[in-house]
Amino acid sequence: MESSGVTLAGSTPVGAQPGEPGLDSLQFGEEIQRLMAVPPENASSFTALLELPAPQAMELLHHAPDPDRVPAMANLSGEPLHKPYPHQTFGSSLTFLSDPALIERAAKYSVFAGEHSPETSSVPSNSSANLEKVKSEPAETDSNPNSSQPLVSDPSVEEKNQRPSAKRKEREKKAKASSKKSKNESSQDAQKLPYVHVRARRGQATDSHSLAERARREKINARMKLLQELVPGCNKISGTALVLDEIINHVQSLQRQVEFLSMRLAAVNPRIDFNLDSILAIDNGSVMDGNLPNMVSSVMWPEFPINGNRQQFQQQWHFDSLHQPLWGREEDNQTFVTPENSLLTYDSSANSASLHSSQLKMEL
Amino acid sequence: MMNPQRLSLSFSSTSYKYRFVQGFIRALKRINRQKLATSLLSRSSPTEIYKRYLKVKSAADASMASAVGLRRAWSRALLQRIRDQERINFGNKYYKYCPAGTRIRGKSTTFTMIRNIKRSSDDRNCKDQESINNGALGWKANELRKLVPGGEAMDMCNLLDETAHYIKCLATQVKLMKRIADFASA
């Protein structure tokens, strides 16, 4: 009624005419009562409370330091709860902190309040308690700086807490988004591990079957990549089917090359007298002289400019003796391959007699 | 020469090369001696050359597979295939050369055991395997299976693994045989 009308009348000039401190002193008591009637819900309400009279608060702060701060702050807190000027909050906060003592107290409270969020709920109660104190001590304009400071600092701290809490909310949202990203990354990273430790990505089924299938698919894709590197010209091709085509073509061509070369060797065969030294020397320059058995079989071509060849011609009659230690050494090295070697051994030993006879024939 | 891949393709090519060349040269000499032992006139007839070609080819494959050893499924399957072919082609001669026939049979059962063990371990991948076989890549995978020795018993994952190793070994074999052929004909 009258008080409400006065407050209504008082509120509009507060918003419209920021530079009239006289009106504020008139509306002091009503607005304090109004504040008590409407308990502050959370920290955001104080920002709302602070927002409206922000330019007025600026003026008050700049022009009247301590004594007017109490009514100014009370005035600010008594304002109705709405946020028409959200942008002014931050500007007002800057001006609030212009006073060094206020900055100190605000810093102390912000540190105190920033540690854990429940504090923000306790701070409004503190500020309301302070406002009660303000109400009980209206005459103490020279109020203790200690008691006024908390009152002054609390709304600013509230505002600061409001911004950190808003920031905290934003940070939480960002964290959720990044956690989703990290989930994807972790699932991707997990699939690179040797053991299967896959986390379900967002929007994908999470049964064990689909997880296992996805792991197998990743394995298969990794092996396809390796095959692409092996087969020349496969890197540019995208798509599994075409890559498989290329792989099949490559294997077929290699097998055909083997057949062609063996046909060539079969046709060329009569001139074969191989020295393993020479062949491996052609290979990569790493000639293992000590280990290689000298297995020159034919007498027909003595003019080989390779070391140790002349000696081998004398040794060819000691074919069998050469073979025996050879096979012994081979079977030490190759633990697996006895059947093939045994086959060859028996064959060569069976044929060595015929070889000698044929060589004698040749010489004659 | 070949860089070891991140996955399990550790390919020490030097030892493979050495063993392959050794085994292959040995086999070539054997074949050469056989050729010398037969009549000189019929040496260059096409049938003779064809027969020799088959022997050389099987010798090349056998020496490659034995150089790799029994670690790889494709080498095991290749050796088994060659042994079966030899048994068919040279029935009595083959058994004469391997006096302990039981030993060979023992080896074949080992092969089948290894194959069965591999098969049973791959059974749980059947569902994925069906999906892959029925899909668009299914017939291509079967084509690859025909090419790679022992590929029929493998699922896609192992098939790709064996294919990679097989391609590497085939490339080595081709390179070395080319050198031998050039050396022999030069």
Side-chain angles (χ1 to χ4, degrees):
Chain A
M1 289 81 73
E2 274 189 14
S3 59
S4 61
V6 171
T7 49
L8 283 172
S11 60
T12 43
V14 167
Q17 302 162 8
E20 289 188 26
L23 281 167
D24 300 331
S25 57
L26 287 173
Q27 295 148 10
F28 184 68
E30 285 90 4
E31 292 186 26
I32 291 295
Q33 286 167 7
R34 199 153 175 252
L35 171 70
M36 298 318 295
V38 182
E41 294 155 4
N42 48 7
S44 57
S45 63
F46 278 93
T47 314
L49 294 172
L50 290 170
E51 274 169 359
L52 265 183
Q56 179 193 8
M58 277 169 53
E59 293 290 331
L60 290 171
L61 275 176
H62 282 302
H63 295 304
D66 279 331
D68 292 338
R69 217 173 267 172
V70 172
M73 284 303 114
N75 207 5
L76 290 171
S77 54
E79 284 306 315
L81 307 170
H82 58 274
K83 304 181 183 181
Y85 315 108
H87 58 276
Q88 289 181 1
T89 310
F90 299 104
S92 64
S93 66
L94 295 171
T95 57
F96 284 156
L97 299 175
S98 58
D99 191 19
L102 176 60
I103 288 167
E104 279 177 30
R105 294 303 291 241
K108 218 196 276 183
Y109 276 95
S110 63
V111 165
F112 177 70
E115 282 173 0
H116 33 275
S117 47
E119 287 296 325
T120 58
S121 55
S122 63
V123 178
S125 58
N126 287 337
S127 57
S128 63
N130 289 333
L131 286 166
E132 281 180 82
K133 281 187 217 167
V134 168
K135 185 192 173 189
S136 61
E137 305 166 354
E140 288 186 356
T141 55
D142 303 318
S143 55
N144 223 348
N146 293 331
S147 63
S148 68
Q149 289 293 338
L151 175 64
V152 168
S153 60
D154 280 333
S156 65
V157 164
E158 277 313 304
E159 197 197 12
K160 281 200 70 175
N161 292 335
Q162 169 56 30
R163 263 184 298 125
S165 65
K167 277 183 188 169
R168 220 172 291 132
K169 284 179 191 169
E170 289 171 11
R171 252 181 271 134
E172 282 169 11
K173 287 178 197 166
K174 280 179 197 168
K176 281 176 198 164
S178 64
S179 69
K180 286 175 201 162
K181 285 180 205 166
S182 66
K183 267 184 192 170
N184 288 338
E185 286 169 8
S186 68
S187 63
Q188 286 165 10
D189 288 337
Q191 282 150 8
K192 289 176 193 168
L193 289 172
Y195 54 89
V196 177
H197 185 60
V198 184
R199 186 176 294 184
R201 288 181 219 171
R202 187 164 183 255
Q204 287 185 344
T206 55
D207 10 313
S208 59
H209 288 300
S210 51
L211 279 178
E213 279 178 32
R214 203 176 331 126
R216 301 285 315 171
R217 251 179 275 144
E218 293 294 330
K219 253 187 173 179
I220 285 172
N221 288 336
R223 279 169 192 178
M224 289 288 292
K225 274 188 198 163
L226 281 179
L227 275 172
Q228 269 185 311
E229 288 167 26
L230 265 185
V231 176
C234 237
N235 287 326
K236 302 155 194 169
I237 301 175
S238 61
T240 326
L242 297 172
V243 168
L244 268 181
D245 273 340
E246 273 302 313
I247 292 168
I248 289 171
N249 284 336
H250 192 242
V251 170
Q252 276 175 341
S253 77
L254 282 174
Q255 283 178 340
R256 267 185 249 127
Q257 273 181 333
V258 167
E259 290 174 9
F260 181 70
L261 282 168
S262 60
M263 178 76 80
R264 198 171 139 198
L265 277 171
V268 171
N269 228 355
R271 290 188 39 168
I272 294 176
D273 39 1
F274 295 109
N275 193 358
L276 275 169
D277 284 329
S278 59
I279 287 165
L280 285 172
I282 295 170
D283 235 2
N284 36 3
S286 64
V287 180
M288 299 181 254
D289 277 324
N291 294 339
L292 286 182
N294 299 317
M295 301 174 60
V296 179
S297 63
S298 165
V299 201
M300 286 187 278
W301 312 98
E303 59 265 4
F304 274 95
I306 295 160
N307 300 332
N309 214 0
R310 306 274 166 82
Q311 299 166 2
Q312 292 156 21
F313 292 142
Q314 279 94 47
Q315 286 176 7
Q316 64 193 339
W317 300 110
H318 307 288
F319 220 50
D320 292 335
S321 57
L322 265 178
H323 271 292
Q324 295 308 317
L326 164 70
W327 292 119
R329 216 182 309 130
E330 278 305 310
E331 280 166 2
D332 284 338
N333 294 337
Q334 305 175 13
T335 52
F336 292 118
V337 205
T338 45
E340 274 306 318
N341 288 340
S342 60
L343 178 65
L344 293 172
T345 311
Y346 287 118
D347 210 355
S348 61
S349 57
N351 278 331
S352 60
S354 59
L355 168 66
H356 297 319
S357 56
S358 62
Q359 281 169 352
L360 283 170
K361 279 186 210 163
M362 289 301 162
E363 279 181 338
L364 292 171
Chain B
M1 289 183 67
M2 307 199 187
N3 300 324
Q5 304 289 344
R6 184 167 55 91
L7 282 184
S8 61
L9 299 177
S10 58
F11 188 79
S12 57
S13 62
T14 349
S15 64
Y16 285 178
K17 274 188 211 168
Y18 174 61
R19 286 197 289 214
F20 166 70
V21 168
Q22 246 186 336
F24 190 46
I25 298 299
R26 230 177 281 136
L28 277 178
K29 282 176 186 161
R30 170 171 60 97
I31 291 164
N32 206 11
R33 273 173 257 135
Q34 279 177 350
K35 192 195 341 144
L36 288 175
T38 60
S39 66
L40 297 168
L41 291 171
S42 61
R43 201 190 308 166
S44 49
S45 68
T47 46
E48 282 297 320
I49 290 179
Y50 183 70
K51 278 188 204 167
R52 231 185 297 135
Y53 147 72
L54 288 175
K55 283 187 204 166
V56 169
K57 177 160 168 284
S58 75
D61 290 337
S63 53
M64 192 68 222
S66 43
V68 168
L70 297 177
R71 306 171 216 125
R72 283 276 159 181
W74 68 265
S75 65
R76 291 193 290 265
L78 191 55
L79 283 174
Q80 185 71 27
R81 191 199 291 177
I82 288 168
R83 187 166 295 117
D84 292 340
Q85 279 176 354
E86 294 265 319
R87 211 177 294 171
I88 292 168
N89 290 341
F90 310 107
N92 47 356
K93 266 196 202 172
Y94 183 75
Y95 283 118
K96 184 177 93 181
Y97 289 145
C98 310
T102 52
R103 198 199 328 161
I104 298 296
R105 260 181 257 122
K107 278 291 173 181
S108 62
T109 51
T110 317
F111 287 154
T112 48
M113 268 164 53
I114 292 171
R115 223 185 300 142
N116 290 337
I117 287 166
K118 269 196 88 69
R119 270 204 203 116
S120 58
S121 69
D122 297 334
D123 274 344
R124 49 193 160 84
N125 305 323
C126 270
K127 196 160 57 146
D128 303 318
Q129 195 51 42
E130 282 171 25
S131 62
I132 288 172
N133 279 340
N134 295 334
L137 308 173
W139 69 275
K140 287 198 183 123
N142 288 332
E143 286 286 321
L144 197 55
R145 264 173 245 257
K146 288 179 210 164
L147 287 176
V148 176
E152 283 89 12
M154 292 184 221
D155 59 333
M156 192 64 177
C157 192
N158 292 327
L159 180 67
L160 292 178
D161 215 6
E162 298 288 325
T163 309
H165 196 262
Y166 185 57
I167 286 175
K168 276 186 182 169
C169 290
L170 270 183
T172 317
Q173 188 178 5
V174 162
K175 198 169 37 171
L176 289 170
M177 282 176 76
K178 222 182 256 182
R179 283 211 186 101
I180 291 172
D182 291 338
F183 181 74
S185 54

